[in-house]
Amino acid sequence: MVTIIDTISSEPLRPRHPEKVNRPDAPSPPKPDWIRVRAPTTRGYADTRNIVRENKLVTVCEEAGCPNIGECWDKKHATFMIMGDTCTRACAFCNVKTGLPGALDVSEPEHVAEATFKLGLAHVVVTSVDRDDLADGGAEHFANTIRAIRARCPTTTIEILTPDFLRKDGALELVVAAKPDVFNHNLETVPSRYLSVRPGARYFHSVRLLQRVKEIDPSIFTKSGIMVGLGEERHEVLQVMDDLRSADVDFLTIGQYLQPTRKHHAVMRYVTPDEFSNYQTVAYTKGFLMVSASPLTRSSHHAGEDFAKLRAARAALAR
């Protein structure tokens, strides 16, 4: 955990999470050995960072403080975060800035497509902040980004990680019509933890969103993920698996929650690698085509390799 103080910028200092400033500190237990990663220092990491900067793009890798950034950027894999770097929600687990976002950049879809081309990505992941201030929640901007990537990189497969588009009628249909290869929307945690972890969202709305994707276009792979270590019980995790399978979700990810700052939700415990392995085994028995469960699993970690396995698993079922 690192606190950064800007002593150079002339702009007035603004808390990254103004809604959390007055909260008491929530200390977490020390990290176990299995959760530690090395600081990124490779040439590949620097090259990816330069391409991101040149195209004036935001990545969730940086904004959310992903522990896998060194590994992924060294391979020139990055997850682009569209619609700005400021979110209209204030989830207790998330390190993305909170506040009122600026206007959409209409040239952003082209910039994402160009960066995808320069990085030579065979599989690209695009996510976004929540944009509750927009009439469609940013759905058309997502669709425009998908179309721009298709035009610039026709062989690249596209995975999107979307907000829930809560109370945005017709938004989901706009995104699905653009035909991403993978539609990901994370549940993040079990229902009993939503009020304290994800208060702006509704669990069953998110499950229904994923189910609706399959109803509109069964060819699109659906994916969702949760974090553990937030105070959930094992039986609740298993119930989430059942709910997602009822919605015909193909791919499940389970990773360890890591606290961004002391003002965020505390880590209640570190789940052991053996427990993650057990969750993965159980999830496969419930019928998921693909499961990734480990302490450092994140939604877009190894996304390209996992997509190839996902496609192979569907093909095997069709034989």
Side-chain angles (χ1 to χ4, degrees):
M1 191 186 313
V2 178
T3 301
I4 298 176
I5 301 176
D6 184 354
T7 61
I8 299 175
S9 174
S10 59
E11 295 181 6
L13 293 178
R14 179 188 178 280
R16 187 176 181 88
H17 303 285
E19 79 290 346
K20 296 180 175 68
V21 168
N22 296 318
R23 290 183 182 178
D25 286 357
S28 295
K31 290 180 182 177
D33 290 341
W34 65 76
I35 209 75
R36 300 181 187 277
V37 294
R38 294 185 178 183
T41 57
T42 65
R43 177 60 183 272
Y45 170 86
D47 290 345
T48 301
R49 182 184 58 194
N50 291 339
I51 290 171
V52 168
R53 299 288 184 272
E54 287 166 6
N55 288 276
K56 298 183 173 64
L57 296 173
V58 178
T59 68
V60 75
C61 320
E62 295 172 289
E63 296 301 316
C66 180
N68 302 312
I69 188 171
E71 176 191 349
C72 292
W73 282 28
D74 181 49
K75 299 175 182 177
K76 294 192 175 180
H77 294 171
T79 297
F80 301 115
M81 190 169 77
I82 59 175
M83 297 191 274
D85 64 355
T86 304
C87 187
T88 54
R89 297 195 192 173
C91 296
F93 65 87
C94 186
N95 197 41
V96 175
K97 286 193 294 187
T98 302
L100 182 63
L104 293 180
D105 178 1
V106 296
S107 65
E108 185 175 50
E110 300 298 332
H111 290 314
V112 172
E114 187 61 25
T116 300
F117 177 79
K118 288 180 177 178
L119 288 167
L121 298 181
H123 184 82
V124 63
V125 183
V126 180
T127 188
S128 79
V129 291
D130 274 288
R131 291 297 303 259
D132 296 313
D133 58 312
L134 301 174
D136 68 351
E140 185 63 31
H141 200 74
F142 255 110
N144 288 339
T145 302
I146 294 168
R147 288 190 284 263
I149 295 169
R150 289 264 187 253
R152 187 71 172 95
C153 310
T155 62
T156 297
T157 50
I158 301 171
E159 179 172 331
I160 57 170
L161 171 55
T162 77
D164 58 17
F165 301 120
L166 189 62
R167 291 182 283 275
K168 307 292 183 183
D169 290 343
L172 177 66
E173 288 75 9
L174 284 174
V175 179
V176 175
K179 294 190 74 69
D181 296 281
V182 181
F183 191 109
N184 185 5
H185 172 65
N186 286 334
L187 297 184
E188 306 295 5
T189 188
V190 301
S192 69
R193 306 303 300 158
Y194 260 53
L195 189 59
S196 59
V197 174
R198 198 181 176 217
R202 301 293 179 268
Y203 176 81
F204 288 106
H205 170 82
S206 287
V207 174
R208 175 60 182 149
L209 182 90
L210 290 158
Q211 184 180 43
R212 181 73 182 127
V213 173
K214 276 288 198 224
E215 290 173 354
I216 299 169
D217 189 342
S219 70
I220 296 176
F221 289 102
T222 50
K223 179 177 177 180
S224 190
I226 62 169
M227 302 168 289
V228 289
L230 284 160
E232 72 289 330
E233 298 290 339
R234 174 181 163 80
H235 70 88
E236 294 180 293
V237 174
L238 301 187
Q239 183 62 58
V240 168
M241 293 181 189
D242 288 337
D243 292 343
L244 288 173
R245 285 303 302 133
S246 294
D248 202 20
V249 170
D250 300 300
F251 189 171
L252 173 66
T253 61
I254 306 176
Q256 171 70 52
Y257 166 65
L258 299 176
Q259 185 185 37
T261 74
R262 288 182 179 271
K263 300 298 182 182
H264 285 76
H265 196 294
V267 175
M268 306 309 292
R269 76 181 187 99
Y270 290 102
V271 178
T272 67
D274 284 346
E275 289 176 274
F276 277 106
S277 179
N278 180 262
Y279 278 141
Q280 181 164 306
T281 299
V282 172
Y284 272 122
T285 67
K286 290 180 180 289
F288 290 97
L289 290 181
M290 182 73 194
V291 183
S292 179
S294 73
L296 292 176
T297 288
R298 296 297 182 268
S299 291
S300 55
H301 193 211
H302 298 154
E305 296 95 321
D306 287 345
F307 176 70
K309 295 174 184 175
L310 190 61
R311 193 154 49 179
R314 175 184 281 180
L317 277 180
R319 291 194 196 113

PDB file of all heavy atoms in Angstrom, residues 242-254:
ATOM      1  N   ASP A 242     -23.904 -20.964  -8.670  1.00  0.00           N
ATOM      2  CA  ASP A 242     -25.184 -21.489  -9.158  1.00  0.00           C
ATOM      3  C   ASP A 242     -26.002 -20.408  -9.861  1.00  0.00           C
ATOM      4  O   ASP A 242     -26.621 -20.657 -10.901  1.00  0.00           O
ATOM      5  CB  ASP A 242     -25.991 -22.064  -7.992  1.00  0.00           C
ATOM      6  CG  ASP A 242     -25.411 -23.371  -7.457  1.00  0.00           C
ATOM      7  OD1 ASP A 242     -24.683 -24.048  -8.216  1.00  0.00           O
ATOM      8  OD2 ASP A 242     -25.676 -23.699  -6.291  1.00  0.00           O
ATOM      9  N   ASP A 243     -25.999 -19.207  -9.305  1.00  0.00           N
ATOM     10  CA  ASP A 243     -26.741 -18.107  -9.930  1.00  0.00           C
ATOM     11  C   ASP A 243     -26.182 -17.784 -11.311  1.00  0.00           C
ATOM     12  O   ASP A 243     -26.939 -17.536 -12.262  1.00  0.00           O
ATOM     13  CB  ASP A 243     -26.681 -16.856  -9.046  1.00  0.00           C
ATOM     14  CG  ASP A 243     -27.449 -17.017  -7.737  1.00  0.00           C
ATOM     15  OD1 ASP A 243     -28.284 -17.943  -7.655  1.00  0.00           O
ATOM     16  OD2 ASP A 243     -27.206 -16.236  -6.807  1.00  0.00           O
ATOM     17  N   LEU A 244     -24.864 -17.780 -11.434  1.00  0.00           N
ATOM     18  CA  LEU A 244     -24.246 -17.485 -12.733  1.00  0.00           C
ATOM     19  C   LEU A 244     -24.496 -18.595 -13.741  1.00  0.00           C
ATOM     20  O   LEU A 244     -24.732 -18.322 -14.921  1.00  0.00           O
ATOM     21  CB  LEU A 244     -22.740 -17.255 -12.550  1.00  0.00           C
ATOM     22  CG  LEU A 244     -22.355 -15.950 -11.864  1.00  0.00           C
ATOM     23  CD1 LEU A 244     -20.853 -15.907 -11.584  1.00  0.00           C
ATOM     24  CD2 LEU A 244     -22.760 -14.742 -12.712  1.00  0.00           C
ATOM     25  N   ARG A 245     -24.482 -19.836 -13.291  1.00  0.00           N
ATOM     26  CA  ARG A 245     -24.776 -20.929 -14.223  1.00  0.00           C
ATOM     27  C   ARG A 245     -26.249 -20.899 -14.652  1.00  0.00           C
ATOM     28  O   ARG A 245     -26.569 -21.219 -15.802  1.00  0.00           O
ATOM     29  CB  ARG A 245     -24.451 -22.284 -13.576  1.00  0.00           C
ATOM     30  CG  ARG A 245     -22.967 -22.590 -13.503  1.00  0.00           C
ATOM     31  CD  ARG A 245     -22.281 -22.553 -14.870  1.00  0.00           C
ATOM     32  NE  ARG A 245     -22.887 -23.487 -15.810  1.00  0.00           N
ATOM     33  CZ  ARG A 245     -23.220 -23.197 -17.052  1.00  0.00           C
ATOM     34  NH1 ARG A 245     -23.021 -21.983 -17.549  1.00  0.00           N
ATOM     35  NH2 ARG A 245     -23.764 -24.114 -17.837  1.00  0.00           N
ATOM     36  N   SER A 246     -27.123 -20.459 -13.758  1.00  0.00           N
ATOM     37  CA  SER A 246     -28.533 -20.307 -14.134  1.00  0.00           C
ATOM     38  C   SER A 246     -28.703 -19.255 -15.220  1.00  0.00           C
ATOM     39  O   SER A 246     -29.643 -19.315 -16.018  1.00  0.00           O
ATOM     40  CB  SER A 246     -29.375 -19.924 -12.904  1.00  0.00           C
ATOM     41  OG  SER A 246     -29.391 -20.983 -11.973  1.00  0.00           O
ATOM     42  N   ALA A 247     -27.772 -18.290 -15.239  1.00  0.00           N
ATOM     43  CA  ALA A 247     -27.776 -17.260 -16.277  1.00  0.00           C
ATOM     44  C   ALA A 247     -26.949 -17.674 -17.491  1.00  0.00           C
ATOM     45  O   ALA A 247     -26.730 -16.860 -18.395  1.00  0.00           O
ATOM     46  CB  ALA A 247     -27.237 -15.950 -15.705  1.00  0.00           C
ATOM     47  N   ASP A 248     -26.478 -18.927 -17.514  1.00  0.00           N
ATOM     48  CA  ASP A 248     -25.723 -19.486 -18.641  1.00  0.00           C
ATOM     49  C   ASP A 248     -24.392 -18.784 -18.864  1.00  0.00           C
ATOM     50  O   ASP A 248     -23.911 -18.658 -19.993  1.00  0.00           O
ATOM     51  CB  ASP A 248     -26.564 -19.433 -19.927  1.00  0.00           C
ATOM     52  CG  ASP A 248     -26.098 -20.444 -20.965  1.00  0.00           C
ATOM     53  OD1 ASP A 248     -25.407 -21.414 -20.571  1.00  0.00           O
ATOM     54  OD2 ASP A 248     -26.393 -20.261 -22.155  1.00  0.00           O
ATOM     55  N   VAL A 249     -23.763 -18.318 -17.777  1.00  0.00           N
ATOM     56  CA  VAL A 249     -22.443 -17.680 -17.877  1.00  0.00           C
ATOM     57  C   VAL A 249     -21.389 -18.747 -18.140  1.00  0.00           C
ATOM     58  O   VAL A 249     -21.385 -19.810 -17.520  1.00  0.00           O
ATOM     59  CB  VAL A 249     -22.132 -16.879 -16.597  1.00  0.00           C
ATOM     60  CG1 VAL A 249     -20.678 -16.414 -16.583  1.00  0.00           C
ATOM     61  CG2 VAL A 249     -23.067 -15.683 -16.498  1.00  0.00           C
ATOM     62  N   ASP A 250     -20.472 -18.432 -19.060  1.00  0.00           N
ATOM     63  CA  ASP A 250     -19.469 -19.410 -19.508  1.00  0.00           C
ATOM     64  C   ASP A 250     -18.204 -19.432 -18.661  1.00  0.00           C
ATOM     65  O   ASP A 250     -17.584 -20.485 -18.497  1.00  0.00           O
ATOM     66  CB  ASP A 250     -19.048 -19.085 -20.950  1.00  0.00           C
ATOM     67  CG  ASP A 250     -20.198 -19.124 -21.920  1.00  0.00           C
ATOM     68  OD1 ASP A 250     -20.826 -20.187 -22.046  1.00  0.00           O
ATOM     69  OD2 ASP A 250     -20.482 -18.082 -22.551  1.00  0.00           O
ATOM     70  N   PHE A 251     -17.782 -18.268 -18.170  1.00  0.00           N
ATOM     71  CA  PHE A 251     -16.438 -18.122 -17.619  1.00  0.00           C
ATOM     72  C   PHE A 251     -16.536 -17.424 -16.262  1.00  0.00           C
ATOM     73  O   PHE A 251     -17.157 -16.369 -16.137  1.00  0.00           O
ATOM     74  CB  PHE A 251     -15.608 -17.290 -18.602  1.00  0.00           C
ATOM     75  CG  PHE A 251     -14.132 -17.198 -18.329  1.00  0.00           C
ATOM     76  CD1 PHE A 251     -13.295 -16.619 -19.270  1.00  0.00           C
ATOM     77  CD2 PHE A 251     -13.558 -17.647 -17.157  1.00  0.00           C
ATOM     78  CE1 PHE A 251     -11.924 -16.515 -19.055  1.00  0.00           C
ATOM     79  CE2 PHE A 251     -12.195 -17.548 -16.924  1.00  0.00           C
ATOM     80  CZ  PHE A 251     -11.381 -16.973 -17.877  1.00  0.00           C
ATOM     81  N   LEU A 252     -15.909 -18.017 -15.250  1.00  0.00           N
ATOM     82  CA  LEU A 252     -15.892 -17.447 -13.906  1.00  0.00           C
ATOM     83  C   LEU A 252     -14.461 -17.175 -13.464  1.00  0.00           C
ATOM     84  O   LEU A 252     -13.582 -18.028 -13.611  1.00  0.00           O
ATOM     85  CB  LEU A 252     -16.549 -18.415 -12.916  1.00  0.00           C
ATOM     86  CG  LEU A 252     -16.454 -18.043 -11.439  1.00  0.00           C
ATOM     87  CD1 LEU A 252     -17.244 -16.777 -11.127  1.00  0.00           C
ATOM     88  CD2 LEU A 252     -16.923 -19.207 -10.550  1.00  0.00           C
ATOM     89  N   THR A 253     -14.234 -15.981 -12.898  1.00  0.00           N
ATOM     90  CA  THR A 253     -12.941 -15.671 -12.288  1.00  0.00           C
ATOM     91  C   THR A 253     -13.147 -15.389 -10.803  1.00  0.00           C
ATOM     92  O   THR A 253     -14.133 -14.761 -10.411  1.00  0.00           O
ATOM     93  CB  THR A 253     -12.252 -14.454 -12.943  1.00  0.00           C
ATOM     94  OG1 THR A 253     -13.074 -13.291 -12.778  1.00  0.00           O
ATOM     95  CG2 THR A 253     -12.005 -14.697 -14.415  1.00  0.00           C
ATOM     96  N   ILE A 254     -12.223 -15.866  -9.983  1.00  0.00           N
ATOM     97  CA  ILE A 254     -12.242 -15.626  -8.542  1.00  0.00           C
ATOM     98  C   ILE A 254     -10.837 -15.218  -8.123  1.00  0.00           C
ATOM     99  O   ILE A 254      -9.874 -15.951  -8.358  1.00  0.00           O
ATOM    100  CB  ILE A 254     -12.674 -16.875  -7.741  1.00  0.00           C
ATOM    101  CG1 ILE A 254     -14.018 -17.420  -8.245  1.00  0.00           C
ATOM    102  CG2 ILE A 254     -12.773 -16.543  -6.256  1.00  0.00           C
ATOM    103  CD1 ILE A 254     -14.437 -18.712  -7.557  1.00  0.00           C
TER     104      ILE A 254
END
